């Protein structure tokens, strides 16, 4: 939800990093990004949290 | 450190802080050692959660409002003169009338506002209950509704995150008792891949919707509404028909926040424990205004405000911090027209909704009146 809200506030081409302890985030975000047409930059498992980076594409 | 406290915003957050400070700093206020001033936008204080009941005719509109000057401690000058610029470097706030208020401590509690205009066609094509005018129109539409497709459409960001679930289950009960549910299809749309941002609530809501035949679409972020064709389309490419569209509108923070360069979207970057504006040691932020990724709700504002009161008093009288905010939120959840449950959670404890009961629904109805004690800093 925070990712979607923040994507509305940034410019096309900007990247946003989501830090989440919810493992569902690592699976849900790439699925949604593919569906809506933004770009996945990376998903990194840091052990106690996930880092998910998305680039705004439209 | 000086002694002038300025509170920008006359909603629940600012009001609890003002009243709470007065309760603890009575001696200093009497001697004139400190001052507390509030800037607001209206002479009325609105109990926002009560709007949920308006479409169903289940609350008297007079119960939604009190005079702000009566809710607020008499020792706090209240100016209906909205802030137009907040200068945290010069420590002063300029208002619509051109007055300049200097401060030693600032509390920003300017809340959030509906941004229906951000989605093409939404204002013309949808109903909503997040303001009184919208809730009245939704009540009239429900009176006339005799069956068809209803969409409950959720947008981000929005305040009161349980309200979309509440309105869905209340609509079901209302239409069932009206005898038109067998001719009605309710579809709930949500922006992410489950039915609620809080996973335990999503898991709780799914079987409850399945049981009542309520449909749902996830990963649905609204792109546009076509009021003539009565369709709503998502960024993800789905288009749904509707006869009655009920939207949870997207929100932004107050214009003065963006105009003052204090935060994109009107949300102020805020330390989640101290509730200080990031980069400031004398600017507290409370309620919807923060950018903290937790519920934007009266309950959040309430528990944050309690923390800020304790810390401000402690800082001013003893020069030390009293405690951290732990992310505590408590929300009633109406699960129909006659049952309810509740959730509480904080930064480390996820919510765990219990079985709905009539007693909790009644407690919620009681809280609709007890709210005014919260605003006064008594509850």
């Amino acid at each position: 939800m925070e990712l979607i809200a923040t994507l509305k506030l940034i410019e096309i081409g900007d990247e946003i990093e989501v830090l989440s302890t919810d493992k569902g985030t690592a699976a849900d975000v790439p699925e949604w990004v593919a569906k809506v047409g933004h770009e996945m930059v990376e998903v990194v498992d840091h052990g106690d949290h996930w880092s998910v980076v998305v680039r705004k594409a439209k | 450190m000086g002694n002038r406290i300025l509170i920008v915003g006359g909603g629940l957050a600012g009001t609890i802080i003002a009243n709470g400070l007065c309760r603890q700093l009575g001696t200093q206020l009497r001697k004139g050692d400190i001052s507390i001033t509030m800037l607001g936008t209206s002479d009325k204080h609105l109990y926002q959660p009560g709007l949920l009941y308006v479409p169903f005719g289940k609350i008297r509109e007079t119960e939604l409002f009190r005079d702000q000057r009566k809710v607020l401690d008499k020792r706090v000058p209240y100016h209906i003169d909205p802030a137009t610029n907040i200068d945290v470097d010069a420590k002063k706030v300029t208002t619509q009338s051109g007055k300049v208020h200097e401060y030693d401590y600032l509390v920003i509690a300017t809340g959030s506002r509906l941004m229906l205009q951000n989605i093409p066609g939404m204002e013309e094509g949808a109903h909503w209950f997040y303001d009184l005018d919208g809730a009245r129109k939704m009540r009239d539409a429900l009176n006339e509704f005799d069956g068809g497709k209803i969409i409950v459409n959720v947008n981000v960001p929005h305040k009161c995150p349980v309200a979309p679930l509440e309105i869905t289950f209340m609509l079901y009960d209302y239409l069932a008792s009206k005898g038109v549910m067998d001719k009605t299809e309710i579809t709930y749309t949500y922006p992410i891949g489950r039915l609620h941002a809080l996973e335990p609530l999503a898991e709780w809501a799914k079987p409850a919707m399945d049981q009542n035949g309520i449909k749902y679409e996830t990963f649905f972020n609204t792109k546009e509404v076509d009021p003539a064709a009565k369709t709503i389309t998502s960024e993800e490419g789905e288009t749904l028909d509707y006869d009655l569209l009920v939207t949870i509108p997207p929100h932004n923070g107050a214009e003065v926040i963006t105009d003052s360069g204090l935060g994109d979207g009107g949300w102020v970057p805020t330390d989640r424990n101290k509730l200080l504006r990031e980069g400031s040691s004398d600017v507290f932020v409370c309620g919807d205004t923060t950018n903290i990724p937790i519920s934007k709700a009266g309950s959040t504002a309430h528990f944050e405000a309690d923390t800020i009161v304790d810390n401000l008093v402690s800082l001013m009288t003893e020069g030390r911090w009293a405690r951290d905010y732990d992310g505590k939120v408590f929300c009633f959840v109406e699960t129909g027209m006659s049952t309810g449950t509740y959730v509480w959670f904080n930064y480390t404890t996820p919510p765990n909704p219990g079985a709905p009961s009539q007693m909790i629904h009644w407690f919620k109805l009681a809280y609709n009146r007890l709210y005014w004690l919260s605003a006064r800093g008594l509850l």
Side-chain angles (χ1 to χ4, degrees):
Chain A
M1 293 284 265
E2 297 302 322
L3 168 69
I4 294 169
T6 308
L7 276 167
K8 292 180 181 179
L9 300 174
I10 64 175
E11 302 295 325
I12 291 173
D14 287 352
E15 293 180 1
I16 177 169
E17 181 182 18
V18 180
L19 303 178
S20 176
T21 54
D22 178 358
K23 65 179 178 186
T25 302
D28 287 354
V29 170
E31 185 187 341
W32 177 73
V33 165
K35 212 168 187 176
V36 85
H38 295 303
E39 293 168 24
M40 276 307 302
V41 178
E42 62 178 12
V43 179
V44 182
D45 181 356
H46 290 283
D48 61 343
H49 70 278
W50 297 81
S51 162
V52 180
V53 181
V54 177
R55 186 181 298 120
K56 180 168 175 166
K58 59 184 238 187
Chain B
M1 189 57 81
N3 51 18
R4 296 164 299 178
I5 301 169
L6 179 63
I7 300 171
V8 181
L12 181 63
T15 304
I16 291 178
I17 291 172
N19 288 339
L21 289 172
C22 287
R23 286 180 190 283
Q24 294 201 52
L25 296 169
T27 305
Q28 293 89 333
L29 279 165
R30 195 172 61 247
K31 289 180 179 172
D33 292 342
I34 68 161
S35 69
I36 305 168
T37 304
M38 178 180 281
L39 304 177
T41 60
S42 169
D43 63 340
K44 297 289 183 202
H45 187 118
L46 166 64
Y47 171 55
Q48 295 182 55
L51 292 170
L52 175 68
Y53 301 88
V54 172
F56 308 107
K58 288 288 184 184
I59 198 164
R60 298 178 196 106
E61 287 185 11
T62 52
E63 288 184 48
L64 299 174
F65 293 98
R66 294 279 190 282
D67 290 338
Q68 173 64 1
R69 285 199 171 88
K70 288 185 179 170
V71 178
L72 197 58
D73 192 290
K74 288 184 174 55
R75 290 167 286 186
V76 179
Y78 179 58
H79 304 286
I80 305 169
D81 190 10
T84 52
N85 185 265
I86 298 171
D87 186 337
V88 295
D89 295 320
K91 296 190 176 194
K92 60 185 184 185
V93 173
T94 307
T95 66
Q96 202 169 62
S97 73
K99 282 187 186 151
V100 176
H101 295 263
E102 296 183 341
Y103 65 81
D104 297 301
Y105 282 109
L106 178 68
V107 176
I108 305 178
T110 42
S112 57
R113 60 199 166 114
L114 311 185
M115 299 299 289
L116 289 141
Q117 63 270 34
N118 283 0
I119 299 173
M122 188 63 92
E123 232 167 333
E124 301 78 22
H127 285 89
W128 60 91
F129 57 94
Y130 270 58
D131 60 25
L132 183 57
D133 190 46
R136 283 173 176 162
K137 286 178 180 161
M138 184 173 157
R139 177 191 60 205
D140 296 344
L142 282 177
N143 273 337
E144 290 174 13
F145 186 81
D146 58 3
K149 290 183 176 177
I150 296 183
I151 292 178
V152 179
N153 159 251
V154 186
N155 297 286
V156 286
H158 62 267
K159 64 183 159 192
C160 195
V162 298
L165 293 175
E166 293 180 296
I167 197 76
T168 302
F169 293 123
M170 290 168 81
L171 274 170
Y172 177 87
D173 270 8
Y174 171 87
L175 296 168
S177 67
K178 194 176 169 181
V180 298
M181 198 53 225
D182 57 342
K183 296 187 288 179
T184 301
E185 179 184 284
I186 300 176
T187 304
Y188 170 94
T189 76
Y190 206 70
I192 61 171
R194 58 187 187 224
L195 298 181
H196 199 272
L198 296 166
E199 199 168 2
L201 266 181
E203 287 169 4
W204 168 83
K206 191 170 181 297
M209 287 194 189
D210 289 340
Q211 188 186 337
N212 291 324
I214 297 168
K215 297 184 170 183
Y216 37 81
E217 291 276 340
T218 55
F219 286 132
F220 192 102
N221 287 277
T222 315
K223 183 180 182 186
E224 59 193 0
V225 173
D226 183 337
K230 292 199 164 187
T231 59
I232 180 168
T233 301
S234 72
E235 296 281 358
E236 292 82 359
E238 288 286 325
T239 296
L240 303 174
D241 298 326
Y242 68 83
D243 294 299
L244 180 68
L245 173 61
V246 176
T247 193
I248 309 299
H251 287 60
N252 270 359
E255 218 166 351
V256 64
I257 303 299
T258 42
D259 288 352
S260 305
L262 292 178
D264 292 341
W267 318 118
V268 179
T270 304
D271 180 278
R272 69 185 212 150
N273 296 123
K274 295 283 183 271
L275 301 174
L276 279 174
R277 172 186 172 267
E278 283 180 12
S280 291
S281 58
D282 51 9
V283 180
F284 288 89
V285 191
C286 193
D288 292 356
T289 315
T290 80
N291 74 336
I292 304 171
I294 54 174
S295 302
K296 294 193 183 300
S299 166
T300 311
H302 181 161
F303 293 117
E304 287 178 349
D306 280 350
T307 309
I308 290 173
V309 167
D310 286 348
N311 282 330
L312 255 176
V313 168
S314 193
L315 285 167
M316 295 184 82
T317 58
E318 300 174 54
R320 65 173 184 86
W321 288 88
R323 61 189 172 99
D324 281 350
Y325 174 63
D326 66 357
K328 183 179 178 186
V329 181
F330 175 100
C331 293
F332 287 104
V333 186
E334 292 280 36
T335 54
M337 299 305 284
S338 60
T339 59
T341 182
Y342 69 92
V343 287
W344 85 265
F345 48 97
N346 61 25
Y347 291 139
T348 54
T349 313
N352 180 21
S357 74
Q358 195 174 44
M359 193 182 77
I360 297 174
H361 164 69
W362 284 342
F363 196 174
K364 166 71 183 187
L365 296 187
Y367 184 78
N368 288 341
R369 294 173 179 181
L370 291 171
Y371 168 84
W372 300 106
L373 296 179
S374 290
R376 286 186 170 89
L378 290 166
L379 181 71

